[in-house]
């Protein structure tokens, strides 16, 4: 057996998202193991306009029974094994899932416009159209993307059902926008299915909640302790590439807003530059969450409302400001902390002391739920 060892520096993308199983499953199958790893850190230099990159350091050797060394933030841990996510634990590979492995509601990609911007309206454009054509108000709805949600910006869209098309075509500025969408879609390569140019008055997907929806942005700053999410009313259109959970029970908010879920997401999600790129099939659908009782759900709902109440106390601030780790209000931080405790008690009574401990537990539960077909 070879005694050779090697070490290398890489961007952290090789241990995240869909790339991780592709690379590491093959290496581990060859009898190679990670004998030390330094988890993600910013690597900068003295070059002019240096942006810096997020990197990892990994050492490889032939598999043996010696202790392994895991470095994070200046701390060293001796562990029995290091997996491809650079955490202590067995060689587990999180695979995309089209449905939740836990008893969580379905999450879906939001409404795609494919409109070159012509179905979207600024507040000024919306006001101008309604002032000139008051009956156009029924064809316009508020729309929310990540920028609007996090920064408190306003945007609107044309939301035209087939039954309202005749009305829409009597309003010149709306008719003009519909025609521009049609021409834009005609220029695009045709894929299988219905030609989207045949319905230029509509988004490719037309989905609204019956009562409310949870909005979840696709991309979030890696600095935030939690991905900001929120409840939206049934008249707000969520646009892609963000995600929506339509008409969920209130307690579901607590699962996505927890440290347990964030530890999972940070470990397995892909990245856009250094920002977290949330994936429905890789982050949400694979997240292992135990079955809970109605009493536990009620307790989680209580903590959800506390978080929402604390946000409301600072309604003058945007969500981007509220979830800036350097500016997060003490009351909101405390509400999230209490929510975290309640979520973790759904897994076990003993508190988790670190994200590494959370991940070790979650990986084991994922293995139990998927490899053994247990839910």
């Amino acid at each position: 057996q070879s005694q050779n060892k090697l070490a290398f520096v890489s961007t952290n993308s090789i241990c995240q998202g869909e790339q991780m199983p592709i690379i590491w499953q093959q290496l581990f199958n060859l009898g190679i193991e990670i004998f030390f790893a330094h988890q993600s850190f910013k690597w900068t230099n003295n070059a002019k306009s240096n942006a810096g990159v997020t990197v990892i350091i990994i050492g490889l050797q032939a598999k043996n029974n010696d202790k392994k060394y895991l470095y994070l933030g200046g701390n060293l841990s001796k562990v029995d094994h290091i997996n491809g996510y650079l955490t202590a634990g067995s060689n587990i590979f999180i695979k995309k899932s089209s449905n939740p492995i836990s008893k969580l509601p379905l999450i879906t990609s939001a409404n795609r416009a494919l409109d070159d911007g012509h179905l979207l309206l600024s507040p000024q454009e919306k006001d101008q159209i309604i002032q000139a054509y008051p009956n156009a108000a029924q064809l316009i709805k508020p729309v929310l993307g990540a920028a609007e949600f996090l920064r408190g910006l306003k945007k609107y869209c044309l939301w035209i059902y087939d039954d309202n098309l005749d009305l829409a075509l009597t309003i010149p500025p709306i008719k003009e926008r519909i025609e521009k969408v049609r021409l834009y879609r005609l220029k695009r390569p045709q894929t299988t299915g219905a030609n989207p140019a045949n319905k230029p008055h509509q988004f490719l997907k037309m989905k609204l909640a019956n009562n409310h929806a949870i909005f979840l942005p696709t991309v979030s700053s890696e600095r935030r302790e939690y991905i900001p999410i929120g409840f939206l009313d049934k008249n707000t259109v969520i646009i892609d590439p963000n995600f929506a959970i339509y008409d969920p029970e209130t307690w579901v908010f607590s699962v996505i807003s927890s440290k347990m879920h964030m530890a999972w997401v940070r470990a397995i999600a892909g990245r856009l530059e250094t920002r977290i790129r949330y994936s429905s099939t890789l982050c949400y659908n694979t997240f292992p969450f135990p079955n809970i009782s109605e009493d536990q759900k009620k307790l989680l709902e209580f903590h959800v409302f506390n978080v929402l109440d604390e946000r409301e106390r600072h309604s003058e601030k945007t969500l981007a400001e509220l979830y800036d780790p350097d500016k997060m209000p003490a009351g909101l931080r405390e509400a999230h902390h209490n929510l975290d405790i309640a979520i973790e008690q759904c897994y076990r009574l003993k508190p988790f002391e670190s994200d590494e401990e959370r991940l070790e537990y979650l990986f084991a539960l994922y293995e139990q739920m998927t490899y053994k077909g247990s839910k």
Side-chain angles (χ1 to χ4, degrees):
Q1 186 181 37
S2 172
Q3 299 300 311
N4 294 332
K5 298 181 179 182
L6 66 90
F8 62 93
V9 179
S10 169
T11 58
N12 59 359
S13 60
I14 66 168
C15 292
Q16 296 169 342
E18 296 178 43
Q19 296 184 79
M20 182 277 183
I22 296 172
I23 296 170
W24 291 102
Q25 196 160 19
Q26 294 187 56
L27 287 175
F28 294 152
N29 287 343
L30 294 172
I32 296 172
E33 69 175 0
I34 300 172
F35 73 94
F36 85 87
H38 195 302
Q39 295 179 342
S40 298
F41 65 97
K42 281 283 184 71
W43 187 13
T44 58
N45 57 44
N46 294 324
K48 187 177 180 180
S49 302
N50 171 45
V53 293
T54 302
V55 300
I56 52 179
I57 305 174
I58 297 176
L60 300 180
Q61 67 177 11
K63 188 174 181 180
N64 64 45
N65 294 322
D66 295 342
K67 287 288 186 180
K68 314 302 184 286
Y69 299 91
L70 196 54
Y71 297 85
L72 175 61
N75 297 320
L76 169 64
S77 299
K78 291 184 179 181
V79 298
D80 293 327
H81 190 84
I82 300 173
N83 61 32
Y85 295 103
L86 303 190
T87 63
S90 61
N91 288 336
I92 191 167
F93 303 97
I94 310 302
K95 302 292 180 66
K96 292 195 300 183
S97 175
S98 56
N99 291 293
I101 66 168
S102 305
K103 290 187 176 178
L104 295 172
L106 291 176
I107 188 171
T108 65
S109 56
N111 300 288
R112 185 184 178 202
L114 192 64
D115 66 334
D116 201 27
H118 299 301
L119 293 178
L120 301 178
L121 305 169
S122 68
Q124 295 76 18
E125 290 169 331
K126 182 262 297 184
D127 291 342
Q128 288 171 0
I129 291 175
I130 292 178
Q131 185 174 1
Y133 307 93
N135 58 349
Q138 61 188 291
L139 308 176
I140 298 174
K141 289 188 179 294
V143 69
L144 213 63
E148 292 75 31
F149 178 71
L150 295 171
R151 301 174 193 165
L153 305 176
K154 300 291 185 183
K155 188 179 285 187
Y156 297 86
C157 71
L158 298 176
W159 193 256
I160 304 169
Y161 294 108
D162 291 341
D163 292 345
N164 291 328
L165 180 56
D166 288 342
L167 169 62
L169 294 177
T170 68
I171 301 172
I174 293 181
K175 180 180 180 180
E176 181 181 349
R177 285 173 175 269
I178 292 172
E179 177 61 14
K180 287 179 178 179
V181 174
R182 187 184 72 83
L183 294 175
Y184 171 71
R185 291 179 180 177
L186 281 174
K187 294 177 183 178
R188 294 181 61 87
Q190 177 62 36
T191 58
T192 57
N195 189 338
N198 292 338
K199 286 199 170 187
H201 59 290
Q202 292 186 341
F203 283 49
L204 297 191
K205 181 179 179 181
M206 300 279 285
K207 174 69 175 178
L208 291 174
N210 293 320
N211 295 296
H212 60 267
I214 289 178
F215 176 97
L216 203 161
T218 302
V219 178
S220 183
S221 170
E222 75 282 2
R223 294 182 60 247
R224 296 186 181 118
E225 294 180 43
Y226 307 92
I227 295 176
I229 66 172
F231 286 106
L232 304 180
D233 65 43
K234 64 182 181 180
N235 288 314
T236 300
V237 177
I238 302 174
I239 55 173
D240 80 336
N242 305 288
F243 296 106
I245 304 174
Y246 292 105
D247 301 300
E249 294 182 73
T250 304
W251 63 269
V252 175
F253 180 106
S254 66
V255 178
I256 311 169
S257 292
S258 67
K259 273 190 176 178
M260 291 294 285
H261 190 58
M262 283 304 302
W264 185 257
V265 170
R266 289 184 188 280
I268 68 172
R271 293 293 190 274
L272 183 62
E273 298 169 340
T274 59
R275 291 169 290 167
I276 295 171
R277 191 182 189 101
Y278 197 90
S279 163
S280 58
T281 55
L282 197 58
C283 299
Y284 180 88
N285 288 345
T286 64
F287 183 60
F289 187 70
N291 296 338
I292 59 175
S293 67
E294 290 302 315
D295 286 342
Q296 287 174 303
K297 291 178 182 179
K298 289 179 182 178
L299 178 61
L300 294 179
E301 286 182 3
F302 170 79
H303 289 292
V304 169
F305 287 126
N306 280 347
V307 167
L308 297 177
D309 286 345
E310 286 298 328
R311 288 183 183 181
E312 192 59 33
R313 290 177 189 273
H314 304 276
S315 57
E316 76 285 357
K317 296 182 182 294
T318 66
L319 283 172
E321 292 170 329
L322 287 175
Y323 284 86
D324 183 325
D326 298 327
K327 302 176 183 177
M328 193 174 192
L332 181 58
R333 191 181 299 276
E334 180 67 17
H336 268 287
H337 174 70
N338 292 334
L339 182 150
D340 287 332
I341 292 173
I343 284 288
E344 292 181 7
Q345 287 178 343
C346 293
Y347 291 90
R348 71 182 197 189
L349 293 179
K350 180 183 176 183
F352 293 94
E353 296 182 2
S354 66
D355 278 351
E356 288 70 33
E357 192 176 337
R358 292 182 182 95
L359 279 174
E360 188 174 357
Y361 190 99
L362 288 171
F363 282 141
L365 183 57
Y366 174 86
E367 193 168 18
Q368 176 188 339
M369 293 175 70
T370 56
Y371 293 0
K372 295 183 181 179
S374 171
K375 290 193 179 182

